Amino acid sequence: MKILTADYILTCDDDFSIIEDGAVCFDEKIIEVGKKDEVIKNNPYAIVKHLSPNSVIMPGLINTHTHLEYSANKTTLIYGDFIKWLQSVIANRDKLKEDCGAECYKNAIEQMLLSGVTAFGNISSFGDDLDACFESPQKIVYFNEILGSNPDFIDDVFLNFEKRLQKSYEFFSRDLIPAVSIHSIYSTHPMLMDMALNIAKKDKLLISAHFMESLAEREWIDRGEGDFYEFLKIFNQNPKPMQNAMEFLEKFRGLKTIFAHGVVCKKEELKFISKNGSLSHCLVSNRVLNNPLLNIEEALKEEVSITIGTDGLSSNNSLNIWDELRAVLFAHSHIDVLKLSKYLITFATVNGAKALGLDDVGMLKIGKSADIITVILPDKVLKKEQLPLELILHTKEVKSGYIDGERCV
Ligand SMILES: [Zn+2]
């Protein structure tokens, strides 16, 4: 049993309580959170560690959307246009896959870990990242992706998906949870979706789907026109949208889905998402591909649970979640900075945990798993209300991290 004491405990509980001169007592689970003196008095046999001045203890952070298989990308892919990027991903996929060996995966996972990410959602297209995910100390929801629009190949594509899913079942544990990813509305045939979603339903698996990521996607789905028409002609002489947006969404009704991006959603789509899952906000990815900025306030008005995703290094320069949080903070300049900082910490903790179905993390509360990170700020925070903002501004790496009470950083 351990006690960590710090100047501030950011609990991320329902009231967003911040405890000054606080402490957390834990083994695998959190035993007590409160004022330092009381926690020490109530747990006399615990080993006490006092963190340095200006310290903060908070729940481990959660990245709900990334693609480890693209971790080798630095400057290979084309940015600035969604379709051109997609074409460059297809053209360079094999090379990037080849370039990401064990070391590349290890570095990517470590970058997340050092930034305090104790749980993440990983989209796997090929199953190449399974060993690395299994080796990592973090809790991972492993989304096996399916895509394919040609009805002639549905059986083959499904067989390949089933094989990968089966393989991930062999690694199934508390720390590696198999799940399903439907790539997108424009790339996945409705029949293929039904087949994969039937498994998700039967096995109660979590789902992830890219949805309304670009204006080109919106234009294509609503009107069958635009850049997607030209792009999809490579695969089909006379391409047509396979379904409309609500037909696509309806397939996820009653299931639990993380919809990634959602930057050009209509009101009824946001309403649907709020009742059937959550939204992963991947700002840097949206920015480098010239996709629109998510309207956070509009999504919150429809009660959408927003989470934070870095997306893969295929459309980001960093998997460090603090880099992502800073970018989000600066990009949404119309929202009050203190209010937004508080939102962002909530998105990256409680909301992320709920989205990934990890109900026992994301909050410092008695009985929850001891997934904890500590941060040392450069100086004293004069206004407690400013703590979330100072954390986002100043944190690059955490001082220490614990998963289920075990030291991991
Ligand atoms: Zn993605």
Side-chain angles (χ1 to χ4, degrees):
M1 204 196 300
K2 289 182 203 79
I3 291 177
L4 293 181
T5 75
D7 289 356
Y8 293 102
I9 314 288
L10 188 59
T11 61
C12 297
D13 65 4
D14 298 337
D15 304 320
F16 205 79
S17 317
I18 297 172
I19 304 165
E20 284 175 86
D21 286 323
V24 182
C25 177
F26 60 96
D27 46 25
E28 258 169 70
K29 304 255 176 216
I30 294 172
I31 295 162
E32 192 176 347
V33 184
K35 282 283 190 190
K36 183 168 75 181
D37 298 344
E38 267 174 50
V39 174
I40 293 175
K41 196 178 85 192
N42 294 343
N43 301 278
Y45 301 111
I47 299 163
V48 183
K49 184 171 164 45
H50 298 283
L51 298 177
S52 338
N54 314 315
S55 50
V56 183
I57 302 175
M58 62 183 290
L61 297 167
I62 291 151
N63 179 356
T64 54
H65 187 91
T66 190
H67 299 252
L68 284 177
E69 284 167 336
Y70 289 98
S71 297
N73 179 59
K74 287 191 178 68
T75 55
T76 304
L77 300 175
I78 294 177
Y79 289 167
D81 179 276
F82 184 71
I83 300 282
K84 286 186 183 134
W85 171 78
L86 208 54
Q87 284 166 330
S88 75
V89 170
I90 295 168
N92 293 286
R93 195 166 46 191
D94 292 339
K95 169 91 173 70
L96 290 173
K97 241 165 72 110
E98 221 171 88
D99 289 351
C100 198
E103 200 58 26
C104 164
Y105 283 122
K106 212 174 137 219
N107 291 341
I109 288 170
E110 194 166 270
Q111 190 181 30
M112 283 198 269
L113 191 63
L114 293 176
S115 76
V117 169
T118 52
F120 63 93
N122 179 53
I123 313 292
S124 174
S125 308
F126 317 106
D128 291 350
D129 45 8
L130 189 56
D131 286 330
C133 287
F134 179 68
E135 302 277 317
S136 92
Q138 288 119 315
K139 294 173 183 169
I140 300 174
V141 178
Y142 189 83
F143 294 97
N144 293 280
E145 188 161 72
I146 190 164
L147 82 159
S149 55
N150 189 333
D152 296 342
F153 300 129
I154 279 181
D155 289 335
D156 290 343
V157 170
F158 187 68
L159 204 66
N160 173 287
F161 161 79
E162 258 189 324
K163 264 191 201 157
R164 284 183 284 121
L165 181 65
Q166 214 46 51
K167 184 93 186 137
S168 67
Y169 264 112
E170 289 168 24
F171 291 78
F172 199 161
S173 70
R174 230 176 90 68
D175 296 344
L176 200 148
I177 302 160
V180 170
S181 161
I182 304 293
H183 178 263
S184 72
I185 184 170
Y186 56 82
S187 64
T188 318
H189 196 282
M191 269 161 61
L192 207 49
M193 277 183 74
D194 288 341
M195 289 156 85
L197 291 178
N198 275 340
I199 296 187
K201 220 173 277 178
K202 182 169 69 64
D203 292 356
K204 295 193 169 54
L205 303 180
L206 204 65
I207 305 153
S208 175
H210 296 97
F211 183 66
M212 289 301 154
E213 183 174 356
S214 64
L215 284 168
E217 180 176 344
R218 187 82 260 176
E219 194 180 9
W220 169 246
I221 295 304
D222 290 351
R223 297 196 297 279
E225 295 169 357
D227 292 350
F228 255 109
Y229 179 79
E230 293 304 321
F231 168 67
L232 291 169
K233 260 169 71 178
I234 314 165
F235 309 100
N236 182 339
Q237 279 201 326
N238 185 23
K240 285 189 178 66
M242 293 177 280
Q243 51 195 329
N244 68 38
M246 280 315 290
E247 282 167 346
F248 175 79
L249 286 179
E250 278 299 333
K251 291 189 183 293
F252 299 91
R253 187 177 288 280
L255 302 169
K256 200 174 167 193
T257 306
I258 300 175
F259 294 94
H261 307 292
V263 293
V264 282
C265 279
K266 293 178 181 168
K267 200 171 166 172
E268 58 173 337
E269 294 158 6
L270 289 174
K271 276 191 198 307
F272 183 92
I273 292 170
S274 79
K275 294 197 169 55
N276 296 279
S278 58
L279 196 74
S280 182
H281 184 20
C282 307
L283 178 119
V284 174
S285 170
N286 298 150
R287 182 67 192 104
V288 300
L289 304 183
N290 257 337
N291 288 327
L293 181 68
L294 174 74
N295 188 331
I296 288 184
E297 283 172 319
E298 195 178 71
L300 289 178
K301 210 166 90 192
E302 299 307 331
E303 295 178 353
V304 171
S305 177
I306 302 175
T307 68
I308 298 293
T310 55
D311 218 330
L313 289 176
S314 32
S315 53
N316 203 327
N317 60 339
S318 170
L319 296 178
N320 181 319
I321 197 160
W322 294 104
D323 287 342
E324 188 73 26
L325 288 169
R326 270 188 289 281
V328 181
L329 184 82
F330 298 145
H332 294 273
S333 55
H334 56 289
I335 306 177
D336 174 82
V337 77
L338 293 180
K339 190 162 118 183
L340 181 59
S341 309
K342 206 169 139 183
Y343 282 165
L344 295 183
I345 297 291
T346 306
F347 294 172
T349 55
V350 195
N351 287 12
K354 279 189 199 149
L356 288 181
L358 303 170
D359 296 329
D360 63 340
V361 302
M363 198 187 276
L364 300 183
K365 200 175 164 185
I366 298 172
K368 298 262 183 194
S369 289
D371 290 18
I372 294 169
I373 56 171
T374 72
V375 171
I376 310 294
L377 287 170
D379 208 345
K380 203 164 166 50
V381 178
L382 294 176
K383 259 180 85 186
K384 193 164 93 171
E385 296 68 37
Q386 219 162 290
L387 185 66
L389 174 62
E390 302 294 2
L391 279 166
I392 296 172
L393 288 177
H394 294 288
T395 314
K396 290 182 177 65
E397 287 186 354
V398 296
K399 174 81 180 158
S400 61
Y402 298 80
I403 295 174
D404 294 326
E406 287 286 321
R407 184 90 184 242
C408 61
V409 181

